[in-house]
């Protein structure tokens, strides 16, 4: 967060949150009054109640409904009707007078609870009954009797479906009690009992019940523990903390100790928010915090991943309630211990995340010696070649330094100059260490920015006569509307954050780009105080004390700022951002003489580099870039003499053609920063800046265009602020052509900057005057300037069409429309884009519509001039079609037809036909999105919306392969009809691979072309004919060469499908077997062509057994005895080779047979009694 706008931002935040609370409270009441459409069953029951009420001689009303439903509830209805009665009773309660409902609410809730107890297993009844309790607590003033009636419904904790529902209702009721100031004593009296009874559900219960109980406790504690309870009813807090401590020592809660830690963390966090107004340190006011902290530490020492996160969060919450010195007394840390659990190394991360509002002197006293010891121990480990120990000590050393930014958040002892002197000395020494440089920068920035925030804070004064509890109706409605707008705006900004991240990174202002990086160093919440709290009171630092902090840091600026500049020059570019932020923060509080001295050194380096005649080395170029970055950052805080020196340094870099493009870009950024922030100090140098911009126009690189345009904007604003009207007009006239040409740049950001500059020029100079200046661009001799003129006029007409004169609009539109037929593509495309823009404005402005209607013949003539040519680019034809479609939409088809010549009217008819097709297509797609089932319906069903709604989706008829006929027609299909082909072939194009994978199962038909005729076949017929053709082709080729076709087909092998037969050719036989194998294959083909099948000579099938390659071990069987014997030097073995094809489910039985060849199954039945075996003998296997 920067220097400007902090007070206004604070006021806006407070006003926003106060209005938001009122808006949410009002919206809750409005939601209760809104009606949801009743279901048909509820309507039927309500009609029955109407008849009952009318029979009693009354008219239906909320009171009558209430009385009738109460009578029905007293009759104890059955489970089927009771949910409906509860739902109708809930609706009636919202329309009843509050006073009448308040008198009868106890009777109503008692009756509701009695009916609910009868059906505790019915979830629907309990849900509707709980809703009645919620409505009562929300609409009425809560009483103790109402809360007791709800507590009587507490179910058994074993019931995991009802208990979460009850806990949710009870927590909502307590929150409604907390919202009403008249009944907050009820909550305070019942808070302890609620926590105790709810936490009893954390043992011996289902996980859903325990989670719901913890959620209810955390929700109630986060809303109910207020300053009144902390100060005036501290015994309640003490009892709650004691209860959580007892739960952590009770073994029966062991499965949910993490949930108890979370509940305790919420309570301690609420206490920490009130530490500044508690009257005493929280650990003194509530001594039970100390043993509770010890319990958290013991739980973390178990090193159980279920408890670690919750225990560390609870330790962090306890740390916020005491000082770091007290915390480390309770749970000391030993950073030099080898065991991280025994040494409590996890407390370093707890301290880093949660320490604040503490003492810098304590950090110096406690952690500075530890930092030295760990550094020395790491060096000793390096000498001893203990690499792992050295790495651990280095990490601990870095973690100790990372504690310092937390101690720098609103410290309580910064007024002591000696403390800051010691800290600053150590921090500046860290600039040389890349790993710790960011820690040093973060500490300095946090100290400066947070102290500046408190020093510049202005409390918001309440207006006289304004009371927080009473509001005027009109003002309340205005506040609610304003809050709603702010909520919507913040939501929109939050959604656009991701889109703007890249643009923020390349901001035109380098200092603003640095300020955008501040949240990374300061954290997400800059103030860290609640929105409704006073920051000065919350942080326990007065405004005078914060100013003293700044004075202390300002005294060391002459020592720290040069060291920061040296570190910037020395460090790499990717780590330079924290150092530049540190320089920017320190420069904002430093005295000008100190910064002037630093800037003299910077400018001296740049001037020396400029006057040298030798080419600059890479190191010198890098130094020049660094010095220019430093100049940009501190330019805002220099005096007039230093600014003049900076201008002397910048001027040659802008004019010199041999200067580095990036250095020139940074020079333009520095110039823009000077013009933006120091306009009052450079009034006498404004003419010099204008002359410098004019001289450097031709020498500006493409990378610097955007920054140069930004300089022009600031110079024009300075002329306006100085009331120099003539100089302003002369400057705009001299630079407008350059800005217009920048609209043709390739860089998108440059074009955006040019558009912004043109808008600013039009606002500074009168719109009509500036538009006449731009119209002079039509006299240009190049297509670039003419097309840029058209684009500029498009921008002006789009933004300022309301303030532009009618005659000027007519001149602009007519001049641009005449250029549609220009022979230059660049000018023609710009004119067509202008035409499309104007046609959009036609629907918004009647005057523009009248002008376009008068000049519409120019649009028609220009479009026809391009479409009548033989070689018109496709992009031009599409633009013409789009323009004519919009003309038809805006002015009507008949009027456009009257403007077209007779010979070109068919072209307009074609465009109108295509436009209507697109409209119908869009309507169908919209209807298909509304009713997805309609998208799958037939074409005839989609033509009629009535048929879709009345008859539903029609089913497609099955098409026979012999006769293809239209549904409902006996005539054959005309395959030349486009609709028939679409319905037959389908709307999706399929590749050969898709057809092979899908196996043509979509419609079961194949469409092919044979001898110029379309043939439609089933899949089986198609495969049979295709196979026959392949066989005939192979036989024909083999009769000649016996080889060519097989060589060709051998290169196109593919995987066989299930429905295909065995491949016809064998590559091994053909290419390795010679002519004899080819002759055998030729005979096989002839037999296959005649329909014969190959039979073995001996009549026995040649099908191989699945276990032929299995080594069953029969070779090792002993001849004269049982058992196996060695064969040579080989031990007996059996072996089943692995084969991937037997992993398929289709070969499951074969796989079992292969294993069964060697595996012996257990005998069953009589064989088991006889001692037999199920394993087949060797002879049977053979």
């Amino acid at each position: 967060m920067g220097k400007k706008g902090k007070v206004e931002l604070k006021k806006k935040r407070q006003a926003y949150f106060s209005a938001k609370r009122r808006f949410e409270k009002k919206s809750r009441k409005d939601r209760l009054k809104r009606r949801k459409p009743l279901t048909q069953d509820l309507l039927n029951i309500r009609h029955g109640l109407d008849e009952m009420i009318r029979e009693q001689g009354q008219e239906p009303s909320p009171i009558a409904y209430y009385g009738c439903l109460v009578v029905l509830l007293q009759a104890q209805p059955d489970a089927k009707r009771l949910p409906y009665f509860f739902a109708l009773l809930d609706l009636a309660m919202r329309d009843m007078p509050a006073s009448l409902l308040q008198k009868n609410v106890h009777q109503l809730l008692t009756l509701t609870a009695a009916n609910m107890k009868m059906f505790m297993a019915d979830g629907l009844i309990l849900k509707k009954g709980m809703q009645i309790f919620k409505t009562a607590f929300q609409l009425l003033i809560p009483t103790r009797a109402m809360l007791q009636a709800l507590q009587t419904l507490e179910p058994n904790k074993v019931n995991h479906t009802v208990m979460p529902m009850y806990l949710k209702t009870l927590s909502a009721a307590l929150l409604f009690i907390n919202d009403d100031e008249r009944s907050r004593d009820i909550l305070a009296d019942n808070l302890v009992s609620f926590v105790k009874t709810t936490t009893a559900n954390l043992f011996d219960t289902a996980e859903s019940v325990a989670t719901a109980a913890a959620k209810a406790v955390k929700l109630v504690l986060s809303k109910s523990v207020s300053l009144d309870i902390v100060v005036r009813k501290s015994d309640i807090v003490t009892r709650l903390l004691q209860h959580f401590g007892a739960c952590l020592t009770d073994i029966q809660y062991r499965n949910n100790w993490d949930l108890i830690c979370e509940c305790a963390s919420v309570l301690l966090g609420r206490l920490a928010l009130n530490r500044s107004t508690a009257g005493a340190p929280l650990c003194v006011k509530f001594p039970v915090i100390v043993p509770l902290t010890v319990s958290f530490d013991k739980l973390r020492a178990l090193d159980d991943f279920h408890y670690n996160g919750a225990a560390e969060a609870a330790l962090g919450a306890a740390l916020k309630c005491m000082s770091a010195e007290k915390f480390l007394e309770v749970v000391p840390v030993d950073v030099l211990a080898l065991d991280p659990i025994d040494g409590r190394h996890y407390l370093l991360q707890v301290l880093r995340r949660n320490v604040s509002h503490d003492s810098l002197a304590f950090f110096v006293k406690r952690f500075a010696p530890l930092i030295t010891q760990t550094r020395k121990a790491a060096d000793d480990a390096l000498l001893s070649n203990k690499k792992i120990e050295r790495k651990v000590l280095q990490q601990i050393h870095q973690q100790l330094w990372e504690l310092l930014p937390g101690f720098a958040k609103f410290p309580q002892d910064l007024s002591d100059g000696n403390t800051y002197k010691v800290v600053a000395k150590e921090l500046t020494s860290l600039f040389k260490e890349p790993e710790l440089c960011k820690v040093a920068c973060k500490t300095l920035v946090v100290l400066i920015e947070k102290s500046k925030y408190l020093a510049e804070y202005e409390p918001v004064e309440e207006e006289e006569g304004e009371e927080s509890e009473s509001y005027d109706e009109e003002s309340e409605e205005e506040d609610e509307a304003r809050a709603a707008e702010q909520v919507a705006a913040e939501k929109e900004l939050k959604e656009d954050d991701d889109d703007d991240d890249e643009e923020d990174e390349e901001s035109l202002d380098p200092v603003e780009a640095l300020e955008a990086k501040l949240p990374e160093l300061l954290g997400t919440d800059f103030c860290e105080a609640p929105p409704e709290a006073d920051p000065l009171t919350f942080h326990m630092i007065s405004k005078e004390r914060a100013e003293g902090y700044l004075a202390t840091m300002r005294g060391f600026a002459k020592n720290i700022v040069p060291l920061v500049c040296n570190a910037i020059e020395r460090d790499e570019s990717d780590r330079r951002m924290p150092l530049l932020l540190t320089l920017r923060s320190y420069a904002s509080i430093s005295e000008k003489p100190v910064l002037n001295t630093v800037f003299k050194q910077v400018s001296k380096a740049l001037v020396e580099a400029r006057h040298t005649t030798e080419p600059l080395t890479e190191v010198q170029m890098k130094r020049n870039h660094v010095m220019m970055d430093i100049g940009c950052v501190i330019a805002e805080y220099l005096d007039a003499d230093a600014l003049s020196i900076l201008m002397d340094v910048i001027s040659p870099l802008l004019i010199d053609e041999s200067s580095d493009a990036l250095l020139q870009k940074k020079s333009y950024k520095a110039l823009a920063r000077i013009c933006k922030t120091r306009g009052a100090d450079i009034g006498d140098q404004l003419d010099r800046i204008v002359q410098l911009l004019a001289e450097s126009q031709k020498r500006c690189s493409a990378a610097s265009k955007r920054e140069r345009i930004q300089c022009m904007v600031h110079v024009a604003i300075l002329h306006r602020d100085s009331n120099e009207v003539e100089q302003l007009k002369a400057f705009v006239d001299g630079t407008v052509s350059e800005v217009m040409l920048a609209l043709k740049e390739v860089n998108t950001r440059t074009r955006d900057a040019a558009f912004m500059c043109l808008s600013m020029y039009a606002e500074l100079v009168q719109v009509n005057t500036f538009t006449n200046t731009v119209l002079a661009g039509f006299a240009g001799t190049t297509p670039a300037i003419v097309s840029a003129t058209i684009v500029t006029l498009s921008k002006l007409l789009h933004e300022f069409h309301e303030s532009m004169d009618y005659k000027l609009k007519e001149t602009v539109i007519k001049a641009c429309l005449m250029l549609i037929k220009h022979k230059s593509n660049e000018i023609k495309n710009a004119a067509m884009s202008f035409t499309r823009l104007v046609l959009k404005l036609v629907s918004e402005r009647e005057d523009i519509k009248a002008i376009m209607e008068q000049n519409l013949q120019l649009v028609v003539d220009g479009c026809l001039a391009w479409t009548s040519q033989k070689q018109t680019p496709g992009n031009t034809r599409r633009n013409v079609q789009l323009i004519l479609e919009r003309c038809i939409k805006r002015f009507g088809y008949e009027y456009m037809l009257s403007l077209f010549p007779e010979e070109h009217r068919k072209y307009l008819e074609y465009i109108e036909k295509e436009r209507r097709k697109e409209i119908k297509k869009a309507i169908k797609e919209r209807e298909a999105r509304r009713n997805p089932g309609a998208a799958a319906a037939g074409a005839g069903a989609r033509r009629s919306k009535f048929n879709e709604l009345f008859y539903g989706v029609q089913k497609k008829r099955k098409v026979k392969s012999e006769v293809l006929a239209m549904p409902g027609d006996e005539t054959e299909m005309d395959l030349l009809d486009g609709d028939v082909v679409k319905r037959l072939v389908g709307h999706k194009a399929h590749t050969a691979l898709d057809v092979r994978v899908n196996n043509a199962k979509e419609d079961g038909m194949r469409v092919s072309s044979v001898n110029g005729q379309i043939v439609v076949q089933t899949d089986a017929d198609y495969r049979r004919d295709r196979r026959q053709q392949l066989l005939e082709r192979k036989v024909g080729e083999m009769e000649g060469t016996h080889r060519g076709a097989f060589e060709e087909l051998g290169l196109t092998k593919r995987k066989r499908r299930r429905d295909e037969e065995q491949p016809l050719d064998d590559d091994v036989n053909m290419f390795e077997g010679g002519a004899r194998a080819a002759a055998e294959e030729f005979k096989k083909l002839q037999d296959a062509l005649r329909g014969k099948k190959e039979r073995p000579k001996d009549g026995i099938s040649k099908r191989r057994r699945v276990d032929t390659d299995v080594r069953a071990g029969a070779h090792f069987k002993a001849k004269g005895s049982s058992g196996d014997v060695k064969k040579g030097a080989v031990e007996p073995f059996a072996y089943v080779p692995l084969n991937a094809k037997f992993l398929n489910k289709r070969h499951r039985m074969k796989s079992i047979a292969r294993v069964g060849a060697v595996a012996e199954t257990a005998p069953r039945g009589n064989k088991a009694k006889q001692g037999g075996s199920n394993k087949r003998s060797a002879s049977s296997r053979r």
Side-chain angles (χ1 to χ4, degrees), residues 51-72:
E51 294 179 1
M52 293 176 58
I53 293 171
R54 290 190 179 94
E55 289 178 359
Q56 300 296 327
Q58 300 179 6
E59 288 297 326
S61 64
I63 298 177
Y65 284 131
Y66 175 81
C68 185
L69 290 169
V70 168
V71 172
L72 292 174

Side-chain angles (χ1 to χ4, degrees), residues 86-122:
F86 280 161
L88 293 174
L89 183 60
D90 180 59
L91 293 174
M93 290 171 60
R94 302 178 186 182
D95 293 332
M96 286 183 61
S99 57
L100 179 61
L101 186 60
Q102 188 76 42
K103 295 179 180 178
N104 299 277
V105 66
H106 179 64
Q107 176 187 2
L108 171 64
L109 296 182
T110 305
L111 183 60
T112 303
N115 281 275
M116 292 173 63
K117 291 178 182 178
M118 298 172 60
F119 305 98
M120 290 300 290
D122 195 324

Side-chain angles (χ1 to χ4, degrees), residues 117-324:
K117 291 178 182 178
M118 298 172 60
F119 305 98
M120 290 300 290
D122 195 324
L124 182 60
I125 293 176
L126 295 178
K127 181 179 179 180
K128 299 298 181 182
M130 294 294 182
Q131 184 61 41
I132 291 178
F133 279 91
K134 288 183 181 180
T135 305
F137 278 97
Q138 191 169 6
L139 293 178
L140 305 176
I141 301 174
T143 60
R144 299 180 188 273
M146 295 169 59
L147 185 60
Q148 291 174 359
L150 178 59
Q151 290 174 344
T152 58
L153 293 174
E154 182 178 2
N156 193 325
K157 64 180 182 180
V158 180
N159 193 340
H160 61 87
T161 57
V162 180
M163 179 57 78
M165 191 185 307
Y166 166 76
L167 292 174
K168 185 177 180 180
T169 305
L170 182 59
S171 60
L174 293 175
L175 293 180
F176 288 134
I177 293 174
N178 184 64
D179 291 340
D180 196 333
E181 296 181 358
R182 295 167 292 184
S183 57
R184 287 181 180 174
D185 293 336
I186 301 175
L187 175 61
D189 297 339
N190 291 272
L191 185 59
V192 178
S193 60
F194 164 75
V195 173
K196 289 183 177 181
T197 55
T198 306
T199 52
N201 296 302
L202 295 179
F203 66 92
D204 295 339
T205 55
E207 183 179 359
S208 59
V209 176
T211 305
K215 183 178 180 181
V217 172
K218 290 187 289 184
L219 181 62
V220 173
L221 290 178
S222 63
K223 301 292 184 181
S224 60
V225 179
S226 59
L227 179 63
D228 181 69
I229 293 179
V230 174
V231 177
R232 299 180 181 85
K233 299 179 181 180
S234 58
D235 58 324
I236 296 176
V237 179
T238 302
R239 291 162 61 189
L240 290 175
L241 293 174
Q242 290 175 349
H243 174 68
F244 289 134
C247 292
L248 289 175
T249 57
D250 194 347
I251 196 65
Q252 63 182 350
Y253 289 95
R254 63 185 180 277
N255 292 331
N256 293 308
W257 275 338
D258 55 338
L259 298 179
I260 295 174
C261 288
E262 292 176 3
C263 297
S265 301
V266 173
L267 178 58
L268 293 172
R270 293 295 299 178
L271 292 179
L273 292 177
N274 299 283
R275 59 185 167 187
S276 59
T277 54
L282 292 176
C283 60
V284 177
K285 191 177 183 64
F286 304 102
V288 70
I289 295 178
V290 174
L292 188 61
T293 305
V294 176
S295 299
F296 294 150
D297 180 67
K298 290 181 179 179
L299 186 62
R300 177 61 182 85
L302 295 177
D303 199 20
D304 190 337
F305 71 93
H306 293 290
Y307 308 139
N308 289 347
E312 289 183 6
L315 286 170
L319 173 60
K320 294 178 180 178
C321 298
M322 63 181 75
S323 63

